[in-house]
Amino acid sequence: MTTNTTNTSCDKSVSRKDFLRLMFLGGAAAAATPLLPGTASAAPRIELHKDTLAVLIDLSRCIGCRSCEAACNEANHLGNHPAEYESDKVFDEIRRTDATHFTVVNKRIPAEGAAPVFVKNQCMHCSEPACVSACPARAFEKNINGAVTYNPDVCIGCRYCMQACTFAMPAYEYDSAFDPRVRKCEMCFHNIDKQGAPACASICPQDAIVFGRREVLIEEARKRLEKDAGYVKHIFGEKELGGTSVLYISRVPFDQIGFPTNLPLEPMPKATYGFLSTIPVLHITLPVLLAGIYSVTRRRDDARAEDDHE
């Protein structure tokens, strides 16, 4: 009698054989997941092309006029009022980029009584960007010319890019109820792809922002450091996180003007690959495992209930 009851329960739930088959299929799917598009994995390896473009910012030349901010606003149709860029009140606080400000200039005081240093902040256009690696929809792309661009048409709004970025540059349009996007500097991709230059570099009256081939800019930066002992002997962005397409030189130590100076030289996607690669495995195998446990438990309880009824 017990045997018949057990057979009836098998018809209602997953048998042990089915459970093992599901586990096998789940494991196979998990193993294949890193090969599928749009899954969290290491960022595509982008070897720096000799013609990769970049921006060199010489902080010793910046006077804090914020012409770069105004030019960025106009070039990207951000809609801010021009008067916003005429007031020095903005220097009363340290700002970060947001959905309507792709580049900001902050005033840093390295020490009491010291002269201020104006620091322009924007997307660093990493050589191997963490935002590209983290995006499951592949809305971000690292282009051969150096720019990291964003496609809102495929973005699913998960905002993993914002969590992944070491420099906290991607911003979300929280005020847009129906069609929010992630916004950030794209190095004026619409211009540089046509042999133009980013708006910020085109407008700077002090030549504090120079645009060109990354290799050439690094050589230019090294020449300035060699000729003038007043510069800090370091090019920020040359090697940090595997290199970026925004480079800085300064006469003040970077740690005194808000730069993270403890960054690894290894690209961030490589540093996080071990963790990220486990996420697809967990997403697929864990539900299968729980479903199997539930089915086996359900089968046992049904059998016990049938026995008690008999």
Side-chain angles (χ1 to χ4, degrees), residues 54-55 71 75 185 187-189 191-192 196-203 209 211-212:
V55 172
C185 163
M187 204 190 287
C188 287
F189 184 78
N191 279 343
I192 66 174
C200 59
S202 300
I203 198 70
I209 309 169
F211 175 71

Side-chain angles (χ1 to χ4, degrees), residues 13-195:
S13 60
V14 180
S15 66
R16 188 185 303 275
K17 183 183 296 183
D18 292 334
F19 172 59
L20 294 175
R21 185 170 67 246
L22 285 172
M23 289 297 295
F24 172 78
L25 293 174
T33 296
L35 302 178
L36 298 176
T39 55
S41 61
R45 176 70 184 179
I46 303 293
E47 297 292 345
L48 286 180
H49 192 274
K50 63 181 180 62
D51 291 329
T52 293
L53 302 172
V55 172
L56 171 63
I57 301 174
D58 188 337
L59 297 177
S60 70
R61 297 187 180 187
C62 182
I63 58 175
C65 69
R66 300 175 63 218
S67 297
C68 54
E69 287 191 37
C72 177
N73 175 54
E74 181 177 357
N76 292 287
H77 312 290
L78 299 179
N80 301 309
H81 195 280
E84 178 182 331
Y85 303 100
E86 298 173 358
S87 173
D88 288 343
K89 292 289 291 182
V90 296
F91 293 134
D92 291 345
E93 61 179 353
I94 299 299
R95 299 175 297 151
R96 57 153 294 179
T97 58
D98 58 35
T100 60
H101 299 83
F102 294 173
T103 185
V104 296
V105 177
N106 285 307
K107 183 171 72 173
R108 298 280 184 172
I109 307 296
E112 186 175 355
V117 177
F118 296 98
V119 179
K120 178 182 181 296
N121 297 117
Q122 69 295 298
C123 173
M124 294 292 289
H125 298 281
C126 302
S127 299
E128 293 194 38
C131 58
V132 174
S133 174
C135 181
R138 294 195 170 179
F140 286 88
E141 181 180 0
K142 176 65 177 180
N143 296 272
I144 295 298
N145 63 13
V148 177
T149 54
Y150 164 76
N151 182 359
D153 294 336
V154 299
C155 178
I156 59 175
C158 66
R159 286 164 282 168
Y160 288 167
C161 55
M162 298 172 63
Q163 299 295 325
C165 180
T166 302
F167 302 101
M169 288 301 155
Y172 197 63
E173 290 180 319
Y174 290 102
D175 295 335
S176 179
F178 300 105
D179 193 21
R181 298 167 294 176
V182 174
R183 309 303 307 277
K184 72 172 199 67
C185 163
E186 294 187 309
M187 204 190 287
C188 287
F189 184 78
H190 51 283
N191 279 343
I192 66 174
D193 202 38
K194 300 175 182 176
Q195 309 300 315

Side-chain angles (χ1 to χ4, degrees), residues 261-275:
T261 54
N262 58 346
L263 297 177
L265 302 183
E266 183 181 47
M268 192 55 70
K270 282 191 173 181
T272 59
Y273 175 73
F275 168 73

